[in-house]
Amino acid sequence: MLSVLTVTVPVFVLIGAGYVAVWKGLFSQPNVDGLMVFTQRFAIPCLLFLAMARLDLAAGFDWRLLTAYYSGSLICFAAGILGTLFWLKRGPEDAVAVGFAAMFANTVLLGLPIAERAYGTESLTPNYAIIAMHAAFCYLVGVTAMEIVQAGGSGFRRGVRNVGLSLARNSLMIGVMLGLLLNLSGLPLPALLEEPIQLVASAALPAALFGLGGVLVQYKPEGDWRGISLCIGIALVLHPVATYAVGKSLDLPEGAFRAAVLTAAMAPGVNSYLFAAMHGRAVRISASAVLIGTAASVLTVSIWLLILG
């Protein structure tokens, strides 16, 4: 157990340092905003660009890996909707927002550093394959469902178009797509470009973890505690369990299996709150699930690392 904690605790200590720094006024909220702009628009896109440019596409995009992870995501989305409708007794729009929060794992800011510390940089190929599709998949599912319940399906095409435009302008997706294009082209990346991009990328995860802690100060643990518990339970327990079961049934290779399950075990990402705020539904549940889920995942992720070995 001690060896597992040496993997997880440093990641969460860095998040906690950012939280305390902003909470105590040692690092202002505008400073956090600037740090997150740097990480989200520059450093992490550089990291993803290099990862995709170097990715073994045949090994990374294994249909069994993607099926195991994203079938788990869909199960969580459905569970969030059903739990909200029949247990919380709330409307369908709230149900979609809770389902989205339960399905949208923090694959980059938590998933990458924990997997890297646990299994090494060379193990991250399956993680990057999941990340390449993650935002597009989750937003397409979430927006489609929300448009259907809000407009009886009449807003479906508009919603999909808006998602497409948003993803096309998203710095992380731009980094992914440019890296994939370079990979497919077979052209080498000149050292004069690769080295400065690598320097920026090396700052991505530590800076983003500290910034994530500062961002979480804004989210207060308030709202429907049953709803928060439902969302966190689905995200931290059902998602990895479902992915584990599907991965086993498909005989997923060990490295890909560990990557899929561990990524599925991550807490809800900040995009969960952004989706809820965009539609004005279940905002407090989503915000609280991000904050409390991140704290609770110190324990749950450690347990999954013990299970996975």
Side-chain angles (χ1 to χ4, degrees):
M1 183 65 181
L2 182 60
S3 62
V4 168
L5 292 177
T6 62
V7 172
T8 56
V9 169
V11 172
F12 291 98
V13 165
L14 193 49
I15 295 172
Y19 188 97
V20 172
V22 174
W23 176 39
K24 293 298 185 181
L26 303 174
F27 202 70
S28 69
Q29 199 63 57
N31 291 153
V32 172
D33 294 340
L35 180 62
M36 293 307 284
V37 167
F38 167 72
T39 58
Q40 298 281 352
R41 295 187 184 177
F42 300 99
I44 295 177
C46 285
L47 175 70
L48 296 178
F49 169 77
L50 290 177
M52 293 299 143
R54 299 165 177 168
L55 186 66
D56 182 344
L57 298 178
F61 289 93
D62 185 330
W63 70 270
R64 294 171 297 174
L65 165 73
L66 300 177
T67 299
Y69 182 83
Y70 287 109
S71 63
S73 297
L74 289 175
I75 289 169
C76 290
F77 185 64
I81 289 175
L82 294 174
T84 304
L85 290 174
F86 297 108
W87 186 45
L88 303 183
K89 306 297 184 182
R90 297 178 66 156
E93 293 176 26
D94 283 357
V96 172
V98 173
F100 185 90
M103 138 175 98
F104 200 103
N106 195 334
T107 58
V108 177
L109 301 189
L110 288 181
L112 280 181
I114 290 175
E116 182 179 26
R117 289 183 60 80
Y119 304 118
T121 304
E122 67 282 354
S123 72
L124 296 179
T125 294
N127 297 75
Y128 287 121
I130 292 171
I131 290 168
M133 298 177 56
H134 189 251
F137 177 89
C138 292
Y139 269 102
L140 182 61
V141 171
V143 170
T144 299
M146 187 64 81
E147 291 293 344
I148 289 172
V149 301
Q150 284 184 334
S154 63
F156 171 74
R157 293 179 63 183
R158 183 184 70 251
V160 172
R161 177 178 176 274
N162 290 340
V163 170
L165 291 174
S166 177
L167 291 174
R169 295 191 294 264
N170 184 282
S171 300
L172 304 186
M173 294 306 299
I174 290 171
V176 167
M177 294 310 299
L178 289 178
L180 285 175
L181 288 174
L182 181 63
N183 191 317
L184 292 170
S185 74
L187 298 174
L189 183 63
L192 288 176
L193 290 177
E194 184 174 7
E195 291 184 14
I197 293 173
Q198 182 65 65
L199 286 172
V200 175
S202 65
L205 294 180
L209 288 170
F210 186 90
L212 175 61
V215 168
L216 291 177
V217 175
Q218 304 173 50
Y219 304 151
K220 307 301 180 185
E222 58 184 6
D224 184 339
W225 284 98
R226 290 196 308 157
I228 296 167
S229 300
L230 172 69
C231 188
I232 293 174
I234 293 172
L236 298 186
V237 180
L238 180 59
H239 198 173
V241 167
T243 301
Y244 186 100
V246 176
K248 281 292 186 184
S249 69
L250 295 175
D251 196 23
L252 197 58
E254 182 183 18
F257 178 74
R258 291 187 309 197
V261 175
L262 191 59
T263 303
M266 295 302 131
V270 173
N271 277 287
S272 304
Y273 165 74
L274 298 178
F275 181 87
M278 179 171 65
H279 294 96
R281 295 291 177 177
V283 176
R284 293 194 300 175
I285 289 177
S286 299
S288 297
V290 172
L291 175 62
I292 300 171
T294 301
S297 61
V298 178
L299 175 61
T300 57
V301 170
S302 298
I303 292 172
W304 277 107
L305 283 171
L306 284 174
I307 293 171
L308 295 170

